[in-house]
RNA sequence: GAGGAAGUGGCGGAAUUGGCAGACGCGCAUGACUUAGGAUCAUGUCUCUUCGAGGUGAGGGUUCGAGUCCCUCCUUCCUCACCA
């Protein structure tokens, strides 16, 4: 073996051999412990991105490690193949979505193969195949039977540009998260999944090893809040008498006068043309009910049309039209004024029979709570702003205890939402309201009890989470297996599943789904019409981990025997961007399947094999880890003004100030420009393509306005910032080119070595030299062959010791997804081995033993290289089925360690001592050391503390003087 | 506005439970070999007033001992956002 390391020659060869020998086929084997490692499946966009490599290859390394440790590992791959891009390609380029998608899948399969990952391709699942979506449809029907799927009318997010509705989770900042196009609200009949039924169970993360941040995001998304509901009733019509006058004056906007005078105890007056409509409100602060001085309904609220008086109708309708014309973005603009109009109607506050005006305003959301609020301006900031903007009364009902003067309307500049004593609240006066929420707050607790006793209201829990809207007005998705006969909904019989997507459709630029004008599809017979909406792709990806178990199974969505062995997923890896979408949906899906009995056969099979199914189907994935994002490498440096003396080619700067681009003062005489590069204290300034050199003097003044305190030259940023990769920025990295240039193993190792995997970071191709050099050195060491001379036993012993220390670090690194430290430790060991070999201190026997372990340690990271050199050393195929090197603590233990002598906690000196040194002897030696003698100068130490060396770390003695 | 994560050399990043800060790599410097070097090899590389000190965004605290824990502030990133 004399040739040099040529990755391209060995990588494809081994990929073929692994496939031919079915090395990665995962089969149920109850005699071995199972490990289901799953990484998020890609959307077949056409090209594998470096982000896919970053997510998948470390996951692969970990799966391989588990396999070598004796687990039966399942590590499948597939495609989330429904979705809009395919349809857009069809419209813009006249390619059928099938064709486009399958061509992309073909291509991406090859790219995925080039990773050298241990994917079991026999288990591949593709969500857009009829074999797959048959079961998505089947699940839909089961959900429908159990009232988890229902058809309802709701205000939905409508994307005009995509001509479809979107789930709440797909709307970011009022825009479609994919295209960035604005989204409007629209009332539509749609299919929903009742995810809110599971809200409380989804808040329970017991026993789940998921990142805290994901749990928090899901918790916030579900948004459980505790409070009360109360029912207000509209008062009689505002006609005749003093009240009528108020309403008439209110035309064209209520003035201070009439709004305030409208506030008062309700008279017992009669007849109404409005009628007594109940208006239910939800509040987290029932203790402030007595402070309600008006009500606000969302403009979309059902009652608005019924209660608006004739006098106010024009103003109200005008306002509603204005709101409807606004997009969600405009509606979410920050710091906007509190707008709204008076409806002319009044409501009676049930707690004190007060008559309060009813307004509509867009700060009340129809989608949250009941779409109506009681407004308590004294204790809610939004209500306060609204009251001040429209001259509505404010009444303090919670009096803070620690104020010198009592809180009054006149003195308030903002709402008070802190603790205090209830006042102006009739029988509830004196109750203590704390910072606590819900029943834990004594005042709230007391008011809820009273509301329930008097029948005026009740305790209530509210969620931010809304039911999952799954209808999409698109072609390229799983058909919803439902039919309509007039108003009647008729499910497609199971034996007719799947409802297949017709292929002979026309993609017309109407914006409408081709299914809606494909008569053979939607017209079942003269009376039956098929649903033309399709399933949200998130439904397909909610259960793909189950389809991998048996992708060819045609009797059930998955094979019960396979499920009994493999479920649940042990480790799931992927991006955190799915925190409140996919990751919440798949949890919900799993719980529904459990409740409707889909797992019953699998549970029975588990019992037959002696495994307890209890809890096995509550959650889809036991452990979740999110990788960070690989970012591009372009950026801007600080723009600086430098003043000082010019000496030859460079300026010796006494002052450097960071400024904005346009802030060069007139007549400035120094150097200025963007810092293009910096080496130590030398800045390379770029201004309009001209480079100037500035040497920052040691005592120079550095001014960086946004960083407080004394600044130094190291804080100056040069041109190498980080941005997301995107085609428009032209900083996208193509994995195929990298593989061609460096080989798959080097790319894998670079991705694992140069980033904190869970954090991600900037791309810097230069750094690939590190892992590349490491792999090269390993090759060279093997190529050089076993040394012929005898080794030095003490050096050999030391190498074996270091090897075992390395094993421990790799194990910990892989366990904790700290791939960079696992590789760093191997590089370190390689360096030590190389030095020992160069010194001729290793004999043939130890060399072979060490190499056997080194190659196995390398195998999860650089599978091709490891396989090649394993073969070349004459060992049995395959290195990937070899046992993982066993860590031996005795072999790893050092004989001599450094005793660290510390003075007041600062290390001052080290003394070589035996590893098992006792406290007494260590303190004695430390006190006798030069450092201790100098610091003590004859005096006795106040204290000495001995810190024994744990797990091979050095012992320490801290001397306090 | 609410919630979360994080700030460590020129750069990517290390540092079990509080216990020698800067592992490992890139870059850089010097040297060797070279017609050549953006190749390879060797050595060095936190700072300073260098027989000693100081140093992990700023300031304070707890501790024998703090990158790590607590408080205040600054900066960056992420998520949600008029949520009643």
């Amino acid at each position: 073996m004399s040739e040099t390391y040529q990755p391209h020659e060995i990588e494809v060869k081994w990929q073929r051999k692994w496939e031919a020998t079915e090395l990665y086929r995962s089969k149920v084997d109850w005699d071995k412990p199972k490990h289901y490692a799953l990484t998020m499946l890609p959307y077949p966009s056409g090209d594998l991105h470096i982000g896919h490599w970053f997510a998948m290859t470390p996951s692969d390394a970990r799966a391989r490690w588990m396999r070598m440790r004796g687990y039966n590992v399942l590590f499948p791959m597939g495609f989330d193949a429904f979705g809009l891009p395919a349809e857009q390609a069809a419209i813009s380029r006249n390619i059928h979505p099938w064709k486009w998608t399958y061509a992309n899948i073909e291509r991406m399969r090859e790219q995925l193969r080039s990773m050298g990952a241990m994917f079991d391709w026999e288990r591949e699942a593709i969500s857009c195949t009829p074999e797959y979506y048959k079961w998505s449809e089947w699940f839909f029907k089961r959900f429908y039977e159990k009232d988890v799927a229902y058809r309802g009318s709701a205000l939905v997010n409508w994307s005009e540009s995509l001509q479809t509705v979107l789930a709440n989770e797909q709307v970011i900042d009022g825009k479609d998260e994919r295209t960035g196009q604005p989204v409007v609200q629209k009332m539509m009949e749609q299919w929903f999944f009742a995810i809110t039924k599971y809200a409380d169970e989804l808040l329970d993360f017991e026993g789940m090893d998921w990142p805290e941040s994901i749990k928090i995001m899901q918790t916030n998304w579900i948004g459980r809040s505790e409070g009360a509901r109360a029912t207000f009733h509209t008062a009689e019509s505002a006609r005749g008498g003093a009240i009528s006058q108020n309403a008439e004056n209110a035309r064209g906007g209520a003035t201070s006068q009439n709004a305030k005078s409208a506030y008062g105890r309700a008279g017992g007056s009669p007849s109404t043309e409005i009628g007594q409509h109940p208006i239910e409100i939800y509040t987290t602060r029932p203790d402030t009910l007595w402070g309600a001085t008006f009500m606000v309904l969302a403009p979309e609220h059902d009652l608005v049309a019924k209660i608006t008086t004739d006098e106010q109708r024009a103003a109200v309708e005008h306002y509603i039209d204005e709101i409807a014309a606004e997009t969600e973005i405009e509606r979410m603009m920050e710091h906007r004024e509190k707008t709204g109009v008076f409806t002319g109607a009044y409501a009676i506050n049930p707690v004190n029979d007060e008559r309060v005006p009813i307004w509509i305003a867009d700060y009340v959301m129809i989608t949250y709570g009941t779409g109506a609020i009681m407004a308590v301006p004294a204790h809610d900031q939004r209500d306060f702003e609204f009251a001040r903007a429209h001259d509505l009364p404010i009444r303090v009902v919670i009096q803070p205890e620690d104020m010198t003067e009592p809180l009054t309307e006149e003195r308030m500049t903002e709402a008070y939402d802190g603790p205090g004593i209830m006042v102006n609240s009739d029988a509830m006066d004196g109750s203590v309201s704390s910072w606590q929420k819900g029943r834990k707050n004594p005042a709230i607790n007391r008011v809820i009890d009273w509301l329930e006793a008097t029948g005026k209201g009740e305790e209530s829990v509210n969620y931010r989470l809304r039911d999952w809207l799954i209808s999409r007005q698109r072609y390229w998705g799983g058909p919803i297996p439902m039919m309509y006969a007039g108003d009647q909904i008729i499910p497609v019989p199971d034996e007719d599943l799947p409802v297949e997507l017709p292929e002979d459709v026309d993609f017309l630029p109407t914006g409408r789904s081709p299914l809606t004008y494909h008569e053979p599809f939607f017209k079942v017979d003269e009376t039956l019409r098929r649903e033309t909406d399709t399933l949200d792709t998130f439904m397909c990806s909610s259960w793909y981990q189950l389809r991998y178990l048996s992708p060819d199974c045609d009797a059930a969505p998955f094979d019960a025997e396979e499920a009994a062995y493999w479920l649940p997923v042990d480790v799931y890896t992927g991006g955190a961007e799915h925190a409140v979408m996919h990751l919440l949906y798949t949890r919900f899906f799993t719980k529904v399947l459990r409740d409707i009995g889909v797992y019953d056969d699998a549970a029975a099979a588990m019992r037959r094999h002696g495994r307890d199914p209890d809890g096995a189907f509550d959650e889809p994935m036991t452990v979740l880890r999110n990788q960070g994002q690989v970012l591009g490498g372009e950026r801007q440096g600080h723009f600086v003004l430098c003043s000082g003396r010019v000496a030859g080619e460079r300026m010796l700067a006494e002052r450097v100030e960071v400024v904005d681009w346009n802030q060069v003062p007139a007549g400035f005489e120094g150097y200025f420009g963007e810092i293009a590069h910096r080496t130590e204290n030398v800045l390379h300034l770029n201004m309009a393509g001209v480079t100037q050199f500035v040497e920052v003097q040691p005592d120079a003044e550095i001014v960086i306005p946004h960083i407080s305190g004394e600044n130094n030259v190291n804080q100056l940023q040069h041109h190498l910032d980080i941005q997301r990769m995107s085609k428009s920025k032209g900083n996208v990295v193509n994995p195929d080119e990298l593989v061609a240039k460096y080989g798959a193993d080097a790319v894998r190792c670079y991705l694992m070595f140069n980033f904190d995997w869970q954090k991600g970071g900037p791309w810097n191709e230069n750094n690939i030299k590190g892992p590349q050099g490491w792999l090269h050195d390993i090759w060279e060491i093997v190529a050089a062959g076993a040394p012929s001379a005898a080794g030095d036993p003490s050096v050999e012993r030391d190498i074996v010791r270091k090897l075992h220390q390395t094993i421990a670090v790799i194990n910990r690194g892989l366990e904790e997804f700290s791939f960079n430290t696992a590789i760093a430790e191997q590089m370190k060991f390689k360096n030590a081995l190389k030095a020992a070999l160069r010194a001729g201190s290793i004999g043939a026997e130890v060399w072979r033993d060490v190499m056997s372990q080194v190659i196995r340690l390398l195998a999860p990271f650089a599978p091709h290289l490891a396989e090649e050199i394993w073969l070349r050393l004459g060992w049995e195929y395959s290195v990937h089925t070899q046992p993982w090197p066993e860590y031996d603590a005795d072999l790893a233990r050092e004989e001599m360690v450094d005793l660290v002598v510390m003075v007041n906690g600062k290390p001052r000196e080290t003394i070589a001592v035996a590893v098992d040194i006792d406290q007494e002897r260590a303190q004695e030696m430390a006190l006798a050391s030069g450092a201790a003698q100098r610091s003590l100068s004859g005096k006795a130490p106040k204290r000495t503390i001995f810190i024994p060396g744990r797990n091979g770390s050095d012992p320490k003695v801290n001397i306090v003087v």
Side-chain angles (χ1 to χ4, degrees):
Chain A
M1 173 171 151
S2 55
E3 77 267 43
T4 51
Y5 175 39
Q6 299 291 344
H8 318 93
E9 287 171 16
I10 61 173
E11 289 181 350
V12 173
K13 176 184 81 181
W14 284 117
Q15 285 160 17
R16 292 206 179 116
K17 169 102 183 208
W18 293 332
E19 212 150 311
T21 56
E22 299 200 331
L23 189 66
Y24 302 128
R25 284 288 286 124
S26 313
K27 292 177 182 156
V28 170
D29 179 355
W30 284 93
D31 293 330
K32 282 170 94 178
K34 67 96 180 181
H35 180 76
Y36 188 173
L38 181 66
T39 187
M40 288 180 187
L41 82 177
Y43 175 79
S45 58
D47 256 311
L48 217 58
H49 188 262
I50 195 69
H52 292 117
W53 274 72
F54 188 61
M56 293 172 183
T57 55
S59 305
D60 173 64
R62 202 171 182 281
R64 288 174 172 280
W65 170 67
M66 290 298 286
R67 171 171 155 138
M68 291 177 78
R69 285 167 83 212
Y71 287 88
N72 188 19
V73 176
L74 171 57
F75 188 55
M77 184 44 63
F79 295 94
D80 181 20
F82 274 134
L84 274 169
E87 208 165 331
Q88 279 157 346
I91 296 164
S92 63
R93 287 187 273 149
N94 201 27
I95 311 170
H96 195 281
W98 286 100
K99 227 176 147 183
W100 186 84
T101 304
Y102 276 95
N104 287 349
I105 288 175
E106 281 295 316
R107 175 166 167 67
M108 287 174 78
R109 268 200 204 113
E110 287 316 303
Q111 293 178 311
L112 285 163
R113 280 191 164 89
S114 76
M115 286 178 178
M118 58 174 288
F119 298 128
D120 178 0
W121 287 104
E122 295 296 312
R123 291 178 180 272
E124 181 194 49
I126 300 172
S127 67
C128 69
T129 59
E131 300 78 48
Y132 188 103
Y133 69 69
K134 171 182 179 179
W135 299 105
S136 298
E137 294 178 15
W138 187 84
F139 284 131
F140 182 94
K141 280 197 64 192
R142 302 289 86 81
F143 282 26
Y144 178 70
E145 287 158 8
K146 304 284 179 179
D147 288 330
V148 176
Y150 67 91
R151 189 156 173 82
S153 179
L155 198 67
V156 297
N157 306 300
W158 175 259
S159 166
E160 199 59 46
S161 57
L162 299 176
Q163 287 287 308
T164 185
V165 299
L166 298 168
N168 222 14
E169 288 81 353
Q170 289 167 314
V171 181
I172 308 290
D173 289 337
K175 290 174 266 186
D176 164 37
E177 56 122 10
R178 268 204 130 109
T179 63
Q181 293 300 306
V183 168
V184 295
Q185 304 285 299
K186 201 171 168 181
M187 264 308 203
M188 286 181 86
E189 278 269 303
Q190 302 284 305
W191 285 100
F192 291 90
F193 281 168
I195 191 171
T196 51
K197 284 186 182 172
Y198 286 82
D200 276 321
E201 207 191 332
L202 289 168
L203 284 169
D204 179 10
F205 297 96
E206 182 71 33
M208 290 168 70
D209 183 1
W210 282 32
E212 233 17 69
S213 58
I214 298 286
K215 294 184 193 173
I216 288 166
M217 275 191 252
Q218 292 201 349
T219 301
N220 292 344
W221 186 261
I222 294 166
R224 181 189 155 98
S225 77
E226 292 172 12
R229 281 176 190 246
T231 307
F232 285 55
H233 284 86
T234 47
E236 72 288 343
S237 162
R239 276 193 189 285
I243 293 164
S244 153
Q245 210 176 342
N246 291 332
E248 271 163 23
N249 289 347
R251 221 176 321 183
T255 64
S256 159
Q257 217 34 47
N258 57 48
K260 278 188 183 170
S261 58
Y263 167 64
R265 299 267 165 176
S269 52
S271 77
T272 166
E273 64 187 52
I274 292 171
Q276 281 224 323
H277 299 287
I279 309 176
E280 198 175 33
I281 59 107
Y282 169 78
T283 177
T284 54
R285 294 294 305 273
D287 54 329
T288 63
L289 263 164
W290 285 261
T293 53
F294 57 101
M295 287 188 84
V296 186
L297 305 188
E300 301 88 354
H301 198 286
D302 279 347
L303 277 177
V304 173
K306 291 179 190 154
I307 64 169
T308 302
T309 59
D310 293 341
E311 290 84 351
Q312 287 301 98
R313 192 165 303 279
V316 164
E317 281 170 2
H318 178 70
Y319 184 72
I320 290 173
D321 287 346
E322 254 179 22
I323 297 302
E326 278 186 349
T327 63
E328 189 81 342
I329 315 168
E330 288 164 315
R331 208 168 158 167
M332 294 204 305
M333 297 265 275
E334 242 180 295
H335 303 304
R336 52 182 317 202
E337 258 178 64
K338 291 277 181 295
T339 61
V341 285
F342 181 44
T343 61
Y346 292 84
I348 304 299
N349 183 342
V351 303
N352 57 9
D353 292 336
E354 273 175 11
R355 188 181 154 83
V356 294
I358 305 171
W359 288 64
I360 62 169
D362 68 348
Y363 83 90
V364 174
M365 304 287 133
I366 188 65
T367 50
Y368 186 78
T370 61
I373 62 157
M374 61 150 181
V376 184
H379 305 295
D380 180 282
Q381 186 59 24
R382 291 151 304 168
D383 297 344
F384 181 87
E385 285 166 19
F386 192 81
R388 281 285 155 93
H390 300 278
D391 265 316
L392 289 156
I394 293 168
R395 183 207 272 166
V396 172
V397 291
I398 302 289
Q399 193 57 248
E401 286 182 277
D402 52 357
M403 293 212 176
T404 45
E405 283 179 79
L407 203 60
T408 60
E409 177 189 347
E410 292 70 36
R411 304 201 305 120
M412 288 181 99
T413 54
E414 58 178 8
Y416 175 76
D417 61 359
I421 305 293
M422 286 178 71
V423 295
N424 293 323
S425 302
D426 303 330
M428 296 295 123
D429 280 358
S431 303
V432 178
S433 187
S434 63
W435 282 111
Q436 299 269 58
K437 291 178 175 168
R439 287 277 194 182
K440 286 176 193 150
N441 183 323
I444 293 176
N445 185 47
R446 190 169 166 213
V447 171
I448 290 176
D449 283 345
W450 180 81
L451 285 173
E452 290 185 341
T454 55
K456 294 172 191 292
E458 59 188 4
E459 182 173 10
S460 175
V461 172
N462 195 52
Y463 300 93
R464 205 189 81 106
L465 182 72
R466 285 193 268 161
D467 276 343
W468 175 11
L469 176 93
I470 58 147
S471 309
R472 291 294 180 278
Q473 290 69 47
R474 305 303 314 181
Y475 166 77
W476 194 234
I480 294 175
M482 291 286 156
M483 299 178 292
Y484 303 94
D487 288 344
Q488 211 191 342
I489 295 171
I490 300 162
V492 174
D494 279 359
E495 57 270 25
D496 292 344
L497 296 185
V499 174
E500 287 199 42
L501 284 172
E503 285 191 52
D504 57 334
V505 289
D506 295 319
F507 291 91
L508 305 175
T510 58
R512 280 167 57 212
S513 162
L515 295 178
T516 60
Y517 43 80
H518 189 279
E519 201 173 291
F521 178 80
F522 70 74
K523 193 171 170 188
V524 183
D525 60 38
E526 285 313 310
T527 52
L528 270 185
R529 193 183 185 283
R530 203 182 287 286
E531 171 67 83
T532 55
D533 284 357
T534 52
L535 296 164
D536 180 6
T537 55
F538 277 113
M539 177 172 173
C540 304
S541 58
S542 289
W543 67 281
Y544 75 105
Q545 68 273 20
L546 303 175
R547 195 61 190 168
Y548 283 150
L549 301 175
S550 45
D552 301 323
C553 182
D554 57 5
F558 55 89
D559 181 274
E561 284 288 326
E562 294 272 344
Y565 181 71
W566 294 110
L567 292 183
V569 171
D570 294 286
V571 182
Y572 194 32
T573 52
E577 66 273 17
H578 291 110
V580 294
M581 296 197 268
H582 166 61
L583 289 171
L584 192 60
Y585 294 148
T586 191
R587 291 182 65 212
F588 159 70
F589 220 88
T590 300
K591 290 172 193 302
V592 176
L593 297 194
R594 175 202 61 195
D595 290 350
I596 66 180
V598 172
Y599 290 120
D600 289 356
D601 291 346
M606 268 191 187
R607 278 190 212 96
R608 277 201 302 281
H609 289 283
R611 189 178 158 203
D612 183 7
D614 190 39
F617 308 114
D618 288 340
E619 290 289 344
M621 296 102 185
T622 315
V623 175
L624 171 73
R625 290 294 181 275
N626 301 119
Q627 81 277 2
Q629 202 172 18
V630 178
L631 303 163
E634 277 293 303
R635 80 166 175 191
Q636 292 180 344
H638 277 140
F639 190 79
V640 289
L641 304 178
C642 306
S643 35
R645 188 162 56 86
V646 177
E649 281 181 0
R650 53 176 60 181
M651 168 184 273
L652 306 177
E654 296 295 342
R655 186 172 192 283
V656 178
E657 183 180 2
V658 175
V659 294
D660 287 336
W661 284 97
N662 49 5
Q663 279 184 354
V664 183
F668 181 75
E669 300 219 327
Y671 286 4
F672 57 87
E674 184 197 349
I675 303 177
H677 184 75
R678 173 166 66 90
T679 307
E680 306 287 315
N681 63 332
V682 178
L683 312 179
H684 300 218
L685 294 191
N686 175 44
M687 188 63 213
V690 179
T691 303
Q692 294 174 308
F693 299 93
V694 175
E695 190 179 309
V696 182
Q697 298 303 293
D699 52 351
E701 182 189 8
I702 313 284
V703 183
I704 308 175
H706 64 272
I707 301 177
S708 61
E710 202 179 309
N711 300 129
N712 65 55
V713 69
N714 294 336
Q715 291 168 305
L716 292 168
Q717 267 184 4
H718 63 92
H719 190 102
L720 192 112
D721 216 331
I722 40 176
Q723 289 178 344
R724 286 192 181 187
M725 285 189 186
S726 73
K727 279 183 185 157
S728 61
K729 285 178 198 138
N731 58 356
V732 177
V733 174
N734 179 344
D736 294 350
E737 286 169 20
L738 291 170
V739 171
K741 210 160 150 191
Y742 306 104
D745 284 336
V747 177
R748 287 170 64 103
C749 291
Y750 164 69
L751 291 170
M752 288 186 251
F753 175 69
N754 265 83
F755 301 84
D756 170 351
W757 186 72
Q758 296 183 68
K759 215 169 103 194
W763 178 262
N764 183 352
E765 198 169 318
N766 227 12
N767 280 341
I768 204 166
K769 286 181 186 171
Q772 198 186 17
W774 167 52
L775 298 178
H776 181 84
D777 281 357
I778 295 282
W779 177 279
E780 293 294 320
I781 288 168
V782 172
S788 45
D792 172 343
S794 85
V795 175
E796 287 180 338
R797 170 71 185 85
D798 194 53
I799 279 293
V800 170
R801 173 166 35 239
K802 287 195 165 75
L803 177 65
H804 280 270
Q805 291 170 354
T806 302
I807 294 169
V809 176
I810 297 171
N811 282 341
R812 205 182 83 220
L814 286 170
E815 182 66 47
E816 296 172 1
F817 299 83
S818 174
F819 303 98
N820 51 354
T821 55
I823 290 182
E825 203 64 16
Q826 292 186 78
M827 290 179 171
K828 199 168 148 187
F829 178 73
K830 178 269 295 177
N831 291 344
L833 180 62
K834 209 170 143 184
L837 286 168
R838 198 165 42 225
S841 315
I842 307 285
E845 200 181 323
V846 171
W847 185 87
R848 284 185 76 82
D849 176 53
V850 166
M851 289 322 295
S852 152
Q853 300 196 59
V854 163
I855 297 168
R856 281 181 281 155
L857 294 174
L858 178 69
F861 304 91
H864 311 89
L865 172 62
E867 192 76 286
E868 179 72 17
I869 56 183
W870 184 259
L871 173 84
R872 288 185 181 219
L873 288 180
W875 290 317
E876 186 192 342
Y877 176 81
S878 156
V879 69
H880 302 295
T881 52
Q882 299 300 317
W884 184 250
E886 196 75 35
Y887 169 69
D888 186 327
D890 288 329
L891 288 176
R893 187 171 300 116
E894 296 279 355
E895 283 154 26
M896 297 298 285
V897 290
D898 285 341
L899 175 68
V900 180
V901 181
M902 300 171 120
V903 176
N904 291 335
K906 304 253 183 246
R908 287 293 175 254
E909 196 174 319
T910 58
I911 306 166
V913 298
V915 69
D916 54 355
I917 189 165
D918 63 22
Q919 173 163 355
E920 207 176 321
R921 179 81 188 118
Q923 289 184 345
E924 218 171 87
M925 289 177 79
L927 286 169
S929 70
Q933 291 301 313
R934 272 196 305 277
S935 305
L936 288 165
S937 54
K939 284 175 279 184
K942 280 191 194 144
R943 226 179 132 178
T944 55
I945 293 134
F946 175 67
I947 304 113
R950 282 172 314 232
N951 303 333
S953 74
D954 293 326
K956 295 161 193 82
V957 172
N958 189 12
I959 300 166
V960 186
V961 297

